[in-house]
Amino acid sequence: MRQNKVMSKDKNLQQSNFIQSSSQAFRHSLSLFALAIKLNVYMSVMKLVQNTKLEAAMNSVNASFSQNISIVHPQYFFIIGLTGISYSTYYYIFLFITYFITVICNSIVLLIIALHRSLHSPKYFGVFNLALADIGETNALIPNMMKNFLFDSQYITFNACLANMFFVFFFSSLQSVTLVVLAYDRFIAICLPLRYHAIVNNTSMVLIFSAIWAFNSSVVVLMVASISRLSFCESNVIQSYFCDHGPMFRMACNDKSINNIMAFLISALYIVVPLIIIVLSYLGIFLALSKITTWQGRLKALKTCVSHLLLVGIYFLPICCSYIAALLVSLSPNARVISTSLAYAVPPMLNPIIYVLNTAEIKDIIRKVVKKRSAPIRENI
């Protein structure tokens, strides 16, 4: 009996040990299974994050790629010019005559200033620069206009159009700023006559005009470069007589905010600011003239400013009138073409004539040259 009891106890002990070891193994397997589930979930989350990042990167690449391919540049632009006017050919002939007179008169002024050392002074350095700007703007504008409309060739390539825009705006801006420099010359000559030669000399003029050429070219290059980022997907017809900045960027079908800023900047830098500086300089000049006791002295000093005042009026009045008319009244394309073309073409023709008629030094040189040329003819007669 005792032996049977001992054997049953051993059996019970073995069964309990087996149950304990089984439960421990079951718990261990459960923990391993839970750990495997956690690892699987973690790997799934990591893959999801990586896929999300990759998808975002691909979306950004695709967006930039689609943005790049959305910029459409036409191979040619069509410059519309004057339309529906039966006698427009006569207007183009008038512009050609204007071009002919402008080139000849400004070339004469350039030769006279370059060849006569008596005119190598700061004032005539400014006049030389103005004549150079007049020739540059006229050559950039009128010959291309003649080619387009007299010979029915109104198409211009995209790159040629940008080059045309650069040269027209660059030389026009040069005219405006040169008038400011000439106003500065007159201001120092009348308000600070004793210090004139110390402040205004050939060296200072070279530095001033070098800085002006560099600054103007940089600003105009930025303006032209802003056109190249535009997409012309709707029209390639320019409502003007040259590759004008305003009519061109308004045709674009993507974001034009930068071009609006550049248009405002160009107008402010080369129309509003120069005009304000010139008006302020002449207020100072008139204040200085009021301190001169005799009327003869006042008139003598004022006479040196007459030529410059005429140039300022001839340049700024047509441009300001065109801008004001465009703001107040809805101008037709033909009216806009005529007004802006006259504002660009007529001042360069009149500038050298005004300086020849109102400058004693240039008139004396021309008289001497004419007398020398006519003397042998009179002897032969």
Side-chain angles (χ1 to χ4, degrees):
M1 291 291 291
R2 285 181 181 177
Q3 190 175 2
N4 291 331
K5 287 182 180 180
V6 170
M7 288 178 66
S8 63
K9 284 181 181 179
D10 290 339
K11 285 181 179 179
N12 291 332
L13 184 62
Q14 286 177 356
Q15 286 178 355
S16 65
N17 288 335
F18 176 76
I19 291 169
Q20 253 182 354
S21 63
S22 298
S23 64
Q24 286 180 355
F26 180 72
R27 287 174 187 172
H28 185 64
S29 62
L30 281 177
S31 64
L32 287 175
F33 181 71
L35 182 62
I37 290 173
K38 288 181 181 179
L39 285 173
N40 192 17
V41 170
Y42 177 77
M43 293 299 293
S44 300
V45 170
M46 289 301 295
K47 283 182 181 180
L48 182 62
V49 169
Q50 287 178 354
N51 289 334
T52 305
K53 288 183 178 179
L54 182 61
E55 186 178 357
M58 288 301 294
N59 287 335
S60 65
V61 170
N62 289 332
S64 63
F65 180 72
S66 63
Q67 187 176 3
N68 287 333
I69 64 172
S70 66
I71 296 177
V72 179
H73 290 163
Q75 189 175 1
Y76 293 94
F77 284 108
F78 184 84
I79 300 176
I80 195 165
L82 294 173
T83 56
I85 298 177
S86 55
Y87 298 105
S88 60
T89 304
Y90 295 107
Y91 181 68
Y92 296 133
I93 292 171
F94 163 73
L95 289 180
F96 178 74
I97 294 169
T98 302
Y99 167 76
F100 187 73
I101 296 171
T102 300
V103 171
I104 289 178
C105 292
N106 280 288
S107 298
I108 290 171
V109 171
L110 289 175
L111 286 172
I112 289 172
I113 295 173
L115 296 176
H116 292 83
R117 296 185 65 84
S118 61
L119 299 179
H120 292 181
S121 62
K123 175 186 173 181
Y124 289 105
F125 196 89
V127 175
F128 185 92
N129 197 77
L130 183 62
L132 200 63
D134 289 341
I135 291 177
E137 186 208 52
T138 305
N139 277 306
L141 200 61
I142 297 181
N144 193 54
M145 196 174 177
M146 296 298 102
K147 178 182 74 70
N148 289 343
F149 303 119
L150 287 181
F151 303 104
D152 293 327
S153 176
Q154 293 173 254
Y155 287 95
I156 184 170
T157 63
F158 182 81
N159 291 330
C161 193
L162 295 185
N164 177 250
M165 181 192 298
F166 171 80
F167 285 112
V168 171
F169 278 92
F170 172 70
F171 286 114
S172 178
S173 67
L174 202 60
Q175 289 174 326
S176 174
V177 181
T178 302
L179 291 174
V180 175
V181 175
L182 290 172
Y184 163 76
D185 173 81
R186 291 299 87 207
F187 176 81
I188 300 297
I190 294 173
C191 298
L192 302 169
L194 298 178
R195 298 183 60 193
Y196 176 78
H197 293 291
I199 298 172
V200 182
N201 49 53
N202 289 342
T203 304
S204 64
M205 280 293 184
V206 169
L207 292 174
I208 288 170
F209 280 111
S210 298
I212 287 170
W213 278 67
F215 178 76
N216 286 14
S217 59
S218 301
V219 172
V220 178
V221 162
L222 285 176
M223 183 194 73
V224 174
S226 68
I227 293 290
S228 63
R229 57 171 290 279
L230 296 179
S231 182
F232 301 93
C233 53
E234 295 178 0
S235 175
N236 66 336
V237 178
I238 301 174
Q239 299 286 338
S240 186
Y241 62 101
F242 74 103
C243 293
D244 199 351
H245 178 255
M248 277 189 70
F249 84 78
R250 291 188 190 99
M251 294 190 301
C253 51
N254 57 346
D255 183 29
K256 297 174 277 193
S257 57
I258 295 176
N259 301 88
N260 280 311
I261 293 170
M262 289 305 302
F264 175 79
L265 181 67
I266 291 289
S267 300
L269 279 177
Y270 300 119
I271 296 175
V272 179
V273 173
L275 199 54
I276 291 172
I277 294 173
I278 290 169
V279 169
L280 291 175
S281 65
Y282 272 99
L283 286 175
I285 287 171
F286 291 141
L287 184 64
L289 291 177
S290 65
K291 296 178 182 179
I292 299 175
T293 55
T294 63
W295 277 100
Q296 288 182 344
R298 293 176 186 175
L299 290 174
K300 185 179 179 181
L302 188 60
K303 192 177 178 181
T304 62
C305 302
V306 171
S307 299
H308 181 257
L309 282 171
L310 289 172
L311 297 182
V312 170
I314 288 168
Y315 180 81
F316 284 104
L317 277 177
I319 293 177
C320 291
C321 289
S322 298
Y323 272 84
I324 293 169
L327 290 173
L328 298 178
V329 184
S330 180
L331 292 176
S332 66
N334 287 336
R336 187 180 182 278
V337 166
I338 291 173
S339 61
T340 54
S341 61
L342 288 175
Y344 275 114
V346 174
M349 178 186 70
L350 296 178
N351 288 346
I353 297 172
I354 289 170
Y355 256 99
V356 168
L357 293 178
N358 287 283
T359 307
E361 295 93 338
I362 294 179
K363 285 194 289 186
D364 290 339
I365 290 170
I366 291 174
R367 282 175 193 154
K368 290 177 183 178
V369 172
V370 171
K371 282 181 181 179
K372 286 181 181 179
R373 294 287 177 88
S374 61
I377 297 173
R378 288 177 183 174
E379 289 176 0
N380 292 329
I381 293 173

